[in-house]
Amino acid sequence: MSAFTMEDLFRIMRECAGEEEAVDLSSAAAEQEFSVLGYDSLALMEAISRVERGFGVELPEDTLGEALTPAAFVDAVNAALAGRTPAVEAAG
Amino acid sequence: MTATAVVTGVGVLAPNGIGAQEYWSATLRGESGIGRITHFDPSRYPSRLAGEVTGFSVRDHIPSRLVPQTDRTTQFALAGSDWALADCGLTADSLPADARGVVTASASGGFEFGQRELGHLWGKDPKHVSAYMSFAWFYAVNSGQVSIRHDLRGPTGVVVTDQAGGLDAVAQARRRIRGGTPLMLTGGMDASLCPYGLAAQISAGILSDSEDPTRAYLPFDAAADGHVPGEGGAMLTLEDARRARERGARSYGEISGYAATFDPRPGSGRPANLERAVRGALADAGLRPDDIAFVLADGAGEPESDRVEAQALTAVFGPEGVPVTVPKTMTGRLYSGAAPLDLVTALFALRDGVVPPTVHVDRPATGYAIDLVTGSPRPVDGDAALVLARGRGGFNSAMVVRRPSVA
């Protein structure tokens, strides 16, 4: 499984939660907080579940809860992907 | 003195016209929006006709951020609210947020959204269910989304009384105006022309199974045999009349009388209570039956309900005592959206001195003794009109609207 990229995250955010009119989801947005980008907790829940389905990984809620920016979110997903064991994948 | 509530803005989505002016022009031309359902393949269902809103571009009217979290019903409510607010001429910051509220009616909520996500739940697994399922199919979702979008932090709520809810919500908004809230958004939108929504209506046994769009919904006709469902409705801005006048706002007219009653349980042998609602609304408006220029009837299109409504009208107004019409024959029944749309129709009809016809009805049932406006529009002269709305389960609501006191 390839790593999870910023482009993957932005594509998923657009698909599942749209994009604020005044916001441009580009590399400049990576370090901005989700709340500034117009995404609330439900939008993040939606994104988390899409990532879990698309990348075959379980994302612990408390880890993601601390990811306030897209960059932190991508890091957390990649950490989960790296730590994934085949047993967890099969159980998931 | 109690504050007077006036309508200062309207936003309409109807099967025969998007936008208030387009709807009104089509309605005066007698144009029907009823046809075979195109939103999904209805061939496996016994009822296949509906009044669909065609040509509504989600991309043009709904911010992309809101699309994944809204049912079509809510998209209609958001668009209608945008238009009503623009029409009333108030800018977002002209009133403090707690000076503006919203009360809508809802008869089904976001059924299509709910159907899709329940399909994911049982067809896949819980992880495939949208997080937005947590609110997107609720009755209260339209009030909630409109409140968030326009920062309406005053009185907020939702009324669920089937088709009567369209009047009950406007009455509740009027109550809030009288209580001192300067601006209320109100009205109703329903859009449940999906398999689940249609199945729910079919199970009630009151949909027509005719395949002919001109013969399927015939209120007060000898051939009445159920109704055609539709989607859409109207949103209105209500304001305190004095404040509206002070800011130079245009008023479409006043919500001047309202009453709601509830019917006895079926089989009780006691009479229906629609007449009491009509008399109550007239008394609330301080008007006599002679003051009413015309009536927009509920027009269930089901013989027993039609008979009850005709009896109530003849009891109050006398045989053939007032012009009665059902423009819903051009849209199908819009559930919570129907009565707010009828209020717009009534206000425009008073303004222009002309009542739209009840289309397709060419053989009114004998014995009803009502003066049904059929064929073409009829000129009327008067200051006030009565709108009736009845909901399944025994809800009767009546509302009187008046022309603006200063033209």
Side-chain angles (χ1 to χ4, degrees), chain B residues 3-361:
Chain B
T4 299
V6 292
V7 177
T8 56
V10 298
V12 166
L13 284 110
N16 59 349
I18 294 179
Q21 194 48 54
E22 287 71 11
Y23 160 74
W24 179 234
S25 304
T27 299
L28 285 180
R29 288 195 299 269
E31 267 175 37
S32 167
I34 292 173
R36 187 180 166 93
I37 291 172
T38 63
H39 205 54
F40 63 98
D41 176 9
S43 53
R44 290 163 57 218
Y45 297 82
S47 301
R48 298 164 193 169
L49 300 178
E52 291 180 318
V53 171
T54 52
F56 176 75
S57 162
V58 174
R59 183 189 292 266
D60 289 348
H61 297 298
I62 307 299
S64 103
R65 180 75 182 79
L66 294 179
V67 173
Q69 56 176 282
T70 45
D71 182 78
R72 183 170 169 86
T73 300
T74 305
Q75 293 167 357
F76 282 5
L78 287 165
S81 298
D82 284 359
W83 300 339
L85 279 169
D87 190 37
C88 86
L90 275 173
T91 53
D93 52 0
S94 50
L95 283 170
D98 62 2
R100 35 190 218 240
V102 53
V103 177
T104 64
S106 179
S108 55
F111 267 15
E112 190 174 16
F113 194 106
Q115 169 171 5
R116 186 183 68 224
E117 297 308 323
L118 289 174
H120 290 162
L121 175 65
W122 297 108
K124 296 173 181 168
D125 66 69
K127 278 193 192 303
H128 285 78
V129 177
S130 166
Y132 298 116
M133 183 66 171
S134 56
F135 58 75
W137 70 327
F138 285 5
Y139 286 126
V141 68
N142 290 356
S143 284
Q145 289 283 18
V146 168
S147 157
I148 293 167
R149 177 156 170 75
H150 296 289
D151 198 20
L152 312 175
R153 301 189 188 208
T156 300
V158 61
V159 179
V160 182
T161 47
D162 192 37
Q163 187 127 328
L167 294 184
D168 299 337
V170 175
Q172 176 66 5
R174 182 181 71 149
R175 223 169 266 137
R176 295 307 192 180
I177 296 286
R178 288 174 162 180
T181 303
L183 170 70
M184 291 295 295
L185 252 174
T186 187
M189 292 281 180
D190 264 308
S192 293
L193 298 178
C194 58
Y196 176 35
L198 188 65
Q201 294 298 343
I202 288 169
S203 73
I206 50 177
L207 289 193
S208 165
D209 56 8
S210 168
E211 299 259 26
D212 179 352
T214 67
R215 301 298 298 161
Y217 178 31
L218 300 170
F220 302 114
D221 194 286
D225 187 29
H227 72 261
V228 171
E231 62 177 357
M235 295 296 293
L236 321 170
T237 55
L238 289 196
E239 291 183 64
D240 178 315
R242 188 180 49 79
R243 285 172 190 268
R245 207 165 36 241
E246 280 168 8
R247 75 175 181 89
R250 177 247 353 257
S251 163
Y252 288 107
E254 175 193 335
I255 305 296
S256 61
Y258 164 77
T261 61
F262 196 66
D263 281 337
R265 128 187 105 70
S268 71
R270 286 177 287 147
N273 278 324
L274 179 61
E275 179 186 337
R276 217 151 50 75
V278 173
R279 292 192 188 281
L282 288 170
D284 184 36
L287 296 178
R288 293 171 298 119
D290 286 355
D291 296 320
I292 298 297
F294 59 90
V295 176
L296 294 186
D298 178 66
E302 186 271 317
E304 174 60 16
S305 298
D306 285 354
R307 186 186 58 74
V308 165
E309 189 167 25
Q311 274 181 355
L313 290 173
T314 53
V316 175
F317 295 95
E320 321 256 342
V322 64
V324 175
T325 192
V326 190
K328 293 183 192 78
T329 45
M330 294 175 242
T331 62
R333 290 175 72 78
L334 308 184
Y335 309 108
S336 66
L341 186 61
D342 272 351
L343 291 175
V344 173
T345 308
L347 291 166
F348 283 22
L350 287 169
R351 179 191 67 190
D352 296 349
V354 60
V355 173
T358 305
V359 301
H360 305 146
V361 171

Side-chain angles (χ1 to χ4, degrees), chain A residues 9-50:
Chain A
L9 176 60
F10 287 159
R11 174 179 51 78
I12 286 169
M13 297 302 294
R14 277 196 200 93
E15 280 171 12
C16 73
E19 195 171 0
E20 285 286 352
E21 277 146 290
V23 166
D24 179 23
L25 282 185
S26 64
S27 53
E31 300 293 345
Q32 289 191 289
E33 294 201 0
F34 284 114
S35 57
V36 174
L37 297 171
Y39 296 109
D40 55 19
S41 56
L42 275 179
L44 289 177
M45 274 181 64
E46 186 71 8
I48 288 166
S49 107
R50 298 258 182 147

